[in-house]
Amino acid sequence: MKKLILLSISTLAFAKFDATNGYDITTRYIKHPSAYISQMCYTKTKDKQGKVHNPCFACHTKPKEPNPAYEDEQLQSIYDFPAPVLKNPFKNHFRDFSYIADKISNKEIEEYVNEDNYIKDGKIILAQKLEHFPKEWDYDRDGKWDGYIPDCYYNFDSEGFDRDKNGAYTGWRAFGYTPFLGTFWPTNGSFDDVLIRLPKIYQTDINGTFNKEIYKINLSVVEAMIKTKDIKIEPIDERKYGADLNKNGKLDIAKVIKYSWEPNKRIFMSYVGKAKELFDDGKIEMVARLYPKGTEFLHSVRYIGVKDGRVYFPKRIKELRYAKKVSWLTYANLQNIGLKRLQEKETDPDQFESFIGDMERGMVALGWRYQGFIEDKYGNLRPQSNEETLNCMGCHSGIGATTDTTFAFPRKLDSFRNGWFHWSQKGLEGIKEPKFENGEYEYATYLKLNNYGDEFRENSEVKAKFFDKDGKLKKSLTDKLHSDISILLLPSAKRAYNLNRGYMSLVKTQKFIDGKAGHIKPFKSVYKEVKENKKTGNKVYIVK
C-alpha cells in the first residue's frame, strides 16, 4: 500500500471550478499532501502563562495488539511533522468567517439544521442522485458510480434496526456509545451517530434465510471479541444453535456471551447460524480486537439542533462517512505494517504517508476502505474529493487509541436497550461517565490534563463552567459529570447557534481542505509554524 496512485502533485491544471461544488471534486491535485495529519495537532500545548495542556493523550497512546501504531504515545511529547509541513497548512485556523456568519440569523439556523438533506418522500436523496450522477462526480469517466451508495433509511425500530420504506431490514443497526474525548463532544461542534452492519452470512440461518435473533447474537459475539469482555444478551436457548455461548460446558439458556478466547490453548468463541457453519469449516475468522471481513460502519456528522433554548439531535447531515473491511489482515500482517512504517520513518522522516484509492471508490488503510460525502455550498450532500477523503485517513490508520481502526463500537453502551438504539431515540442525558481500565474517569481526566474542554482551547463555555478562577476543576461539577455526561457534552443554545453559524459559513466557502473546525473568529492557540522536533512540554500519560 505504498504509493498513493491517486495523488498527483504536479499541476494545478486539474483544479477546475464549477457552479455546483465550488471546485472540481474529481481533481487529482492534492494541495496538502499531509492532509491525513489532524488539524488539532498544530495546537499550542503551552499557553502564555506557561501552563501545559495535553489533549494529545486521547489519541496518541500505547496501542493494544494488534494495533500497529508503534511508539504512538511519544507524540504526546513532540511535534513530529515532516519538514515540508512544519508550516501549518490549515489556513482556516487563521481566517475570520464573521463576514459570512454575522449575516446568518438564529431563525435561518433553526430552519436549516432541521431540514432533511438525506431523505425526501421516503427515498434517499443521495442514492437517487448516484444512480444518475452528474459527470462532475465521475472520477474515472466510466459513466457509473463505483463506490458506496447510501442504503440506510435512518428508520429505526425499538431494537435499533434500520428498516427501508417497505419495512424490510437493511442490516444496519444503530448503537449508543460514549463520545470519544474532545472533538466528538457536541459542545465542540457536532452531534454524530454510528451504525454497524455485518455481512449477510452473519444475519442468516444455515439455509441463508434472514433471522433477527441469529443476527443479534452474532453482533453480540463481535462486540465481545472487540471489547474482550462478557456481553449481556436476552435469554437464548443454546440448543437451537448448538453453541455454548455462556461457556458453562453445556447447552442451556444463555444470558451472556462469555468472552473466552485463547487460541494457543484451543479455546475459541462461536457464532450461530450460517456463520457458525463457515467458522467451524475454517472459512471465516474470529479474532480478538478484529472485526470480521465485510463489516461496515456508517457515521453521520450533524449540526446541533437548537430551538426554544434546548439542543437536540437534528436532521441535517454535515458529513456521511462510510467504512468497510475489505481484506483480512492477521496480527502478524498488522505488526509488519507497523514495523515497516517505523523503518521508513527512520530512513526518511520527511516522507508523507500514502494510501491506495480515490474519491469514488474510497481509500484503503489496514484492510479498511473509507469514503465520505459532505455538503456542497447549497447544503446538498456530495462526494468528498481525494484530499477531503485523505483528511480522514490518519486517525483511522495510525493512532494508538483505535481498535481495528475504529473509535465508537469499542465504546458501545450496555445499559439502555443493551446499547442498541439511535440517538434520535434517546439523548445523552443520564448516561454515566466512562472509565479507563485503571478506574479513572475519562472525561474528568481529559479536562484535568488538557485544562480546557477542547483541543483548540476555544470552548470558553466549558472552561467557565468546569474550572474555577485558579484553573482547577470544580469537584461539584465533576461529581455530577460521573452520573450524567450531558452536563459537559451538551452546549448552551447560544453556543449551539454560534457553532452552527461558523460551520454554515465554512460550507458556503467549500474550503474544507483548509480545515473543518467550523469557527467564526481566528484561533488563538494554534501554531502558524512549528520548529522541527519541538517539544510539547507534556509528560506522556498512558491510558491503562
Side-chain angles (χ1 to χ4, degrees):
M1 291 196 296
K2 194 50 211 166
K3 292 301 177 185
L4 180 55
I5 59 173
L6 61 90
L7 296 189
S8 172
I9 316 172
S10 58
T11 177
L12 277 168
F14 292 97
K16 301 175 182 177
F17 286 77
D18 66 69
T20 303
N21 303 307
Y23 76 107
D24 178 13
I25 63 172
T26 64
T27 179
R28 287 160 171 76
Y29 171 74
I30 299 295
K31 182 179 179 182
H32 307 308
S34 63
Y36 60 89
I37 297 174
S38 172
Q39 59 183 343
M40 286 83 76
C41 292
Y42 286 90
T43 297
K44 298 175 183 178
T45 51
K46 286 185 180 180
D47 59 27
K48 292 181 179 179
Q49 289 72 42
K51 194 167 188 176
V52 177
H53 304 261
N54 184 7
C56 317
F57 85 95
C59 291
H60 299 298
T61 187
K62 196 172 185 64
K64 292 183 179 180
E65 193 178 31
N67 185 322
Y70 290 107
E71 300 181 359
D72 185 55
E73 65 272 21
Q74 300 307 317
L75 293 180
Q76 293 182 39
S77 62
I78 190 171
Y79 290 94
D80 190 16
F81 299 132
V85 289
L86 290 171
K87 189 172 183 180
N88 189 343
F90 297 109
K91 302 300 183 184
N92 282 345
H93 288 169
F94 315 107
R95 289 184 174 131
D96 189 332
F97 288 92
S98 58
Y99 72 100
I100 300 175
D102 290 350
K103 299 176 183 178
I104 304 174
S105 69
N106 287 354
K107 182 179 179 182
E108 182 180 351
I109 290 170
E110 291 180 5
E111 293 175 350
Y112 185 76
V113 301
N114 207 41
E115 180 185 11
D116 198 332
N117 62 343
Y118 182 80
I119 292 280
K120 184 176 181 180
D121 299 328
K123 297 179 180 179
I124 301 172
I125 300 169
L126 187 56
Q128 287 186 301
K129 198 165 186 178
L130 289 170
E131 291 292 338
H132 305 284
F133 64 103
K135 62 181 180 180
E136 291 84 5
W137 295 6
D138 194 357
Y139 181 81
D140 55 10
R141 303 295 187 260
D142 68 348
K144 67 180 189 311
W145 181 255
D146 297 311
Y148 170 67
I149 297 178
D151 58 350
C152 175
Y153 285 79
Y154 285 90
N155 177 34
F156 302 103
D157 63 18
S158 61
E159 296 180 295
F161 284 104
D162 178 52
R163 306 288 193 96
D164 68 16
K165 57 186 179 181
N166 297 316
Y169 292 97
T170 64
W172 290 111
R173 195 179 191 189
F175 58 92
Y177 50 91
T178 51
F180 190 71
L181 301 173
T183 298
F184 288 99
W185 295 347
T187 185
N188 290 327
S190 306
F191 275 106
D192 69 341
D193 60 16
V194 184
L195 321 176
I196 187 173
R197 179 166 65 185
L198 300 182
K200 289 185 178 180
I201 56 172
Y202 299 89
Q203 304 178 27
T204 63
D205 62 22
I206 58 174
N207 298 314
T209 302
F210 176 81
N211 183 297
K212 186 170 71 170
E213 184 175 79
I214 286 174
Y215 191 21
K216 288 165 62 176
I217 294 171
N218 286 334
L219 280 165
S220 294
V221 170
V222 170
E223 182 180 355
M225 294 300 290
I226 291 298
K227 292 181 175 179
T228 62
K229 60 180 286 188
D230 299 348
I231 300 299
K232 294 184 298 182
I233 58 172
E234 299 169 354
I236 295 295
D237 188 346
E238 298 174 330
R239 291 167 295 187
K240 292 168 58 177
Y241 305 111
D244 185 10
L245 300 171
N246 57 15
K247 293 291 182 178
N248 66 354
K250 57 184 178 180
L251 298 181
D252 57 4
I253 303 300
K255 298 180 180 179
V256 65
I257 301 292
K258 180 73 176 178
Y259 175 73
S260 181
W261 185 78
E262 297 181 77
N264 292 334
K265 297 181 180 179
R266 307 298 297 170
I267 297 175
F268 300 98
M269 306 273 284
S270 178
Y271 294 120
V272 296
K274 185 65 175 179
K276 181 182 187 304
E277 179 181 79
L278 294 173
F279 178 68
D280 291 345
D281 290 343
K283 295 179 180 179
I284 59 174
E285 304 83 4
M286 182 173 10
V287 176
R289 291 185 290 278
L290 293 178
Y291 297 95
K293 181 182 176 182
T295 299
E296 298 168 280
F297 285 99
L298 195 61
H299 176 203
S300 77
V301 182
R302 305 191 182 223
Y303 288 83
I304 302 172
V306 54
K307 191 171 185 178
D308 298 329
R310 70 179 187 91
V311 297
Y312 60 92
F313 190 92
K315 294 179 180 179
R316 177 167 291 277
I317 295 176
K318 293 179 176 180
E319 295 183 52
L320 187 68
R321 301 170 178 177
Y322 172 76
K324 182 174 183 178
K325 189 166 186 174
V326 293
S327 60
W328 178 260
L329 298 177
T330 65
Y331 274 37
N333 295 147
L334 292 165
Q335 289 167 357
N336 286 338
I337 290 172
L339 291 171
K340 185 178 180 183
R341 284 177 174 174
L342 278 180
Q343 184 181 39
E344 289 172 345
K345 186 170 182 60
E346 290 177 359
T347 302
D348 183 3
D350 295 331
Q351 182 175 337
F352 293 123
E353 289 286 335
S354 52
F355 305 89
I356 292 175
D358 58 59
M359 54 79 70
E360 188 172 334
R361 298 168 185 80
M363 292 185 183
V364 177
L366 303 181
W368 289 81
R369 186 179 299 277
Y370 289 91
Q371 188 173 15
F373 304 89
I374 199 165
E375 284 180 289
D376 66 21
K377 63 182 180 181
Y378 301 109
N380 304 308
L381 292 174
R382 63 158 174 84
Q384 289 184 339
S385 68
N386 286 337
E387 188 165 343
E388 289 163 349
T389 305
L390 181 61
N391 185 239
C392 304
M393 302 309 290
C395 291
H396 288 289
S397 69
I399 63 173
T402 58
T403 302
D404 200 4
T405 82
T406 69
F407 291 89
F409 197 64
R411 305 176 64 86
K412 177 184 167 293
L413 296 167
D414 58 8
S415 50
F416 179 73
R417 297 181 182 175
N418 282 344
W420 295 110
F421 64 90
H422 186 254
W423 292 120
S424 61
Q425 299 172 315
K426 182 197 175 341
L428 292 163
E429 292 83 359
I431 294 175
K432 294 182 179 180
E433 182 181 2
K435 293 181 180 180
F436 294 122
E437 290 181 10
N438 64 2
E440 292 185 16
Y441 285 98
E442 287 190 24
Y443 294 165
T445 298
Y446 178 89
L447 293 174
K448 180 177 68 175
L449 293 180
N450 188 27
N451 294 296
Y452 236 93
D454 66 314
E455 291 86 347
F456 295 118
R457 298 204 300 281
E458 293 288 331
N459 193 333
S460 57
E461 183 171 280
V462 166
K463 180 69 173 178
K465 184 176 183 179
F466 277 84
F467 294 85
D468 63 23
K469 62 181 180 180
D470 297 319
K472 295 182 180 180
L473 275 172
K474 298 177 182 176
K475 187 176 184 302
S476 59
L477 265 295
T478 54
D479 286 346
K480 291 180 181 179
L481 174 61
H482 300 335
S483 59
D484 185 358
I485 62 176
S486 70
I487 67 168
L488 168 64
L489 271 58
L490 297 182
S492 66
K494 180 179 179 180
R495 178 167 172 78
Y497 280 124
N498 283 330
L499 288 168
N500 288 333
R501 190 175 281 112
Y503 194 82
M504 289 169 68
S505 301
L506 176 60
V507 168
K508 292 178 185 296
T509 71
Q510 290 291 289
K511 293 182 178 180
F512 299 114
I513 60 176
D514 288 340
K516 292 192 295 185
H519 59 280
I520 298 176
K521 293 293 185 180
F523 289 160
K524 300 175 182 178
S525 301
V526 177
Y527 283 113
K528 290 186 176 180
E529 188 168 359
V530 180
K531 292 182 180 179
E532 188 171 4
N533 294 322
K534 179 178 176 60
K535 303 295 184 181
T536 65
N538 286 323
K539 182 180 179 181
V540 173
Y541 179 86
I542 303 298
V543 175
K544 296 180 180 179

